[in-house]
Amino acid sequence: ARVTAENLATGEVLAAEADEFGDFWFHQVGAAEWRVYAEAEGYLTRVLEASTAAEDRNMGPVELYRAE
């Protein structure tokens, strides 16, 4: 899956690819509010909100649903 994070204040976009276990990382992320998109062929795009304003965050499991 391709995962992108959009800084809601500045519009900065970070991108990562999930590994074979579905794990992904963004490094050196600034303190901000983020909108995170997870996309994979044949699946619906998942959109999540995250904040790194107070601390680093772990998104936890992000489930993707098959597009029908």
Side-chain angles (χ1 to χ4, degrees):
R2 178 165 175 80
V3 184
T4 55
E6 175 188 11
N7 183 316
L8 298 180
T10 67
E12 173 188 15
V13 175
L14 306 174
E17 291 286 331
D19 65 16
E20 64 271 15
F21 301 106
D23 296 331
F24 62 92
W25 294 266
F26 294 112
H27 300 283
Q28 304 300 318
V29 175
E33 303 296 318
W34 297 87
R35 184 164 294 132
V36 180
Y37 303 87
E39 302 172 280
E41 188 174 329
Y43 291 84
L44 299 173
T45 298
R46 187 76 189 270
V47 181
L48 304 160
E49 303 289 327
S51 175
T52 57
E55 63 186 356
D56 289 344
R57 299 299 306 225
N58 178 328
M59 295 296 296
V62 177
E63 294 183 28
L64 297 182
Y65 303 99
R66 279 200 182 275
E68 295 189 27

